[in-house]
């Protein structure tokens, strides 16, 4: 009777208590090769980065927020509100069919250009943190260039996908993506003195053209022109030249050296954190010492409070996000999907590399936020909207739509993609779970066995 009940329980899909989980390299590798893996990798990594960002924004901004407003939660509550808006847009964007994303290409880039041009009207903020790249609307600030990134990705993917047969002709690839849209958008951003965002836009354009299949020889000339442009813009600004000299000159022996204050205190924060960190909320540099601790230099606070494991976790999460994007690019059958995923991957990775390089001293301080982590409403909402597009692209992969769009609860579909438990082995070497042919019996046979 006991063996019959156990066999019926296993046949109905129950879990044998003697079974051991099959979390082996083989089973995990099989799951990573499944069509739903990119979707869940994007979902989990972005959720972890956003959650970590909210926690660290609360910690890093608490002192400065209390000093300026009398409450330690002012900056955090604003970031939480923008996170809620961004998550809502991400959910809507992930469910939006790709044909609607393509239809939004022209309206999105037109709106991005219009908003970016509006910063030079009375709505624009004059020399906000050295840049004129913000709008003041209803008592809140908006950075149009952040939404210009997602608009450029969607527009570039939609345009280049229609020209895939003639992409080898440079003038076909250039019009209208580079001339006039890319040049005008980039020119407006640089006119506002925001070189960091301009570099991200150039990286997105280059990534889109490379993924579209533009011959490699054209990138030599384009890269040379871009490098000369960056050098010209850097030479025209005393602040930028000072940052480059500080980076190359190795002159920052103390924070009192001109141009070294922020760089040295970021290094102090990372050094104070040591291997395991001072503990969450225990940062010393956030007490009015390190400028922008919750924004561009939030990684320094992560390293100070959470130590090397916290810093490496951020790097690992971005590496997993890059892998998920690469899987979408490699598995996509639609040209728009391949190009849009490439543009989003370049956007997130280039911005993360510039931010991390600035904090640890491998690059001059450029001034871009860490995607999904740093404080900043426009940056967070735009990045989460990009995640929504990335999830929509992952859902469109062959086999993924069927696996994710079937009936049943979300939890059931999620756990169905996780490796199932493997049957335990008995001392005799046989598996604890009986084969289906052995355990499955007709009602008559079962009654006869009971008697």
């Amino acid at each position: 009777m006991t063996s019959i009940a156990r066999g019926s329980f296993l046949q109905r899909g129950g879990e044998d208590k003697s079974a051991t989980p099959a979390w082996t390299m083989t089973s995990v590798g099989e799951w990573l090769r499944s069509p739903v893996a990119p979707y869940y990798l994007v979902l989990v990594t972005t959720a972890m980065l956003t959650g970590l960002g909210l926690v660290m924004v609360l910690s890093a901004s608490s002192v400065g927020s209390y000093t300026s407003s009398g409450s330690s939660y002012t900056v955090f509550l604003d970031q939480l509100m923008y996170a809620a808006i961004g998550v809502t847009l991400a959910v809507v964007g992930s469910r939006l069919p790709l044909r609607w994303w393509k239809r939004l290409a022209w309206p999105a880039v037109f709106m991005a250009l219009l908003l970016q041009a509006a910063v030079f009207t009375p709505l624009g903020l004059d020399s906000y943190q050295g840049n004129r790249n913000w709008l003041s609307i209803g008592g809140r600030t908006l950075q149009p260039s952040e939404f210009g990134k997602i608009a450029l990705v969607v527009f570039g993917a939609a345009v280049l996908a229609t020209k895939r047969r003639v992409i080898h002709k440079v003038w076909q690839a250039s019009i209208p993506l580079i001339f006039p849209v890319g040049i005008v958008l980039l020119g407006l951003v640089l006119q506002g003195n925001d070189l960091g965002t301009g570099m991200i836009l150039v990286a997105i354009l280059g990534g889109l053209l490379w993924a579209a299949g533009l011959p490699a020889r054209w990138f030599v000339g384009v890269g040379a022109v871009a490098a000369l442009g960056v050098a010209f813009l850097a030479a025209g600004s005393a602040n930028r030249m000072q940052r480059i000299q500080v980076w190359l000159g190795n002159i920052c022996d103390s924070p009192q050296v001109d141009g070294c204050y922020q760089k040295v205190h970021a290094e102090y924060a990372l050094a104070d954190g040591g291997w395991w960190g001072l503990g969450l909320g225990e940062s010393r540099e956030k007490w009015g010492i390190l400028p922008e601790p919750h924004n561009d230099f939030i990684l320094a606070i992560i390293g100070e409070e959470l130590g090397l494991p916290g810093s490496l976790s951020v790097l690992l999460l971005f590496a997993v996000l890059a892998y998920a994007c690469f899987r979408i690019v490699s598995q996509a059958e639609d040209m728009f999907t391949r190009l849009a995923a490439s543009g989003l991957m370049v956007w997130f990775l280039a911005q993360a590399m510039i931010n991390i390089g600035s904090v640890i001293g491998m690059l001059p301080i450029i001034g871009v936020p860490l995607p999904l982590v740093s404080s900043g409403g426009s940056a967070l909402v735009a990045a989460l909207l990009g995640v929504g597009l990335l999830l929509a692209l992952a859902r469109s992969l062959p086999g993924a739509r069927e696996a994710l769009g079937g009936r049943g609860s979300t939890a059931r579909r999620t756990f169905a993609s996780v490796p199932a438990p493997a049957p335990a082995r008995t001392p005799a070497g046989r598996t604890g779970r009986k084969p289906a042919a052995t355990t499955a019996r007709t009602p008559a046979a079962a009654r006869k066995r009971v008697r």
Side-chain angles (χ1 to χ4, degrees), residues 229-443:
V230 172
F232 174 78
L233 292 171
S237 171
N239 184 35
R240 292 170 187 159
M241 286 303 299
Q242 184 183 54
R243 294 182 181 185
I244 294 175
Q245 290 170 0
V246 165
W247 172 55
L248 294 176
N250 194 23
I251 60 175
C252 292
D253 297 327
S254 71
Q256 282 71 38
V257 178
D258 289 342
C260 295
Y261 186 85
Q262 196 170 21
K263 178 180 184 296
V264 171
H265 277 288
E267 295 173 354
Y268 284 172
L270 294 173
D272 289 344
W275 286 100
W276 306 110
L278 301 176
L280 188 62
E282 299 297 324
S283 169
R284 301 162 184 162
E285 293 290 333
K286 70 182 181 183
W287 287 80
I289 302 175
L290 176 65
E292 301 295 335
H294 57 284
N295 198 342
D296 297 346
F297 280 77
I298 196 170
L299 183 66
I301 305 300
I302 293 175
E304 186 181 14
E305 295 188 350
L306 304 182
L308 186 62
S311 302
L312 292 181
S313 297
V314 174
L315 299 180
L316 179 61
L317 288 171
F318 277 109
V320 174
L321 182 60
Y323 171 76
C325 293
F326 175 76
R327 283 287 308 279
I328 296 173
V329 173
S330 61
Q331 291 182 218
E333 296 179 349
D334 176 55
M335 190 65 173
F336 174 82
T337 301
R338 188 177 301 120
L339 293 172
S342 300
L344 291 169
M345 178 172 63
V346 171
W347 168 15
F348 290 141
L349 292 187
Q351 187 164 325
M353 290 173 62
I354 291 175
N355 177 274
I356 295 170
S358 299
V359 173
I360 65 177
M362 293 189 67
L363 293 173
I365 297 175
I366 297 176
V368 295
L370 187 61
L372 301 169
V373 180
S374 293
S375 173
S378 299
L380 181 60
V381 172
L384 287 173
L385 184 57
V387 170
L389 172 57
L390 199 57
L391 291 173
L393 300 174
R395 290 175 61 89
S396 69
L397 295 177
R401 184 174 298 278
E402 293 76 10
L404 296 170
R407 294 183 178 180
S409 66
T410 303
R412 186 180 304 171
R413 293 197 303 271
T414 301
F415 287 113
S417 64
V418 178
R425 303 192 68 83
T426 64
R430 297 180 180 179
T431 58
R433 183 180 295 184
K434 295 183 179 181
T438 303
T439 58
R441 300 178 181 273
T442 62

Side-chain angles (χ1 to χ4, degrees), residues 147-169:
F147 298 97
K149 298 172 185 176
I150 180 67
L152 188 62
V153 169
V154 177
F155 177 77
V159 168
L160 293 177
T162 62
K163 297 188 174 187
R164 59 185 179 274
R165 298 185 184 276
V166 293
I167 198 65
H168 60 281
K169 300 178 180 179

Side-chain angles (χ1 to χ4, degrees), residues 9 14 33 75 91 151 185-186 277 286:
F9 174 71
R33 289 189 292 270
V75 175
V91 172
L185 181 60
L186 180 61
K286 70 182 181 183

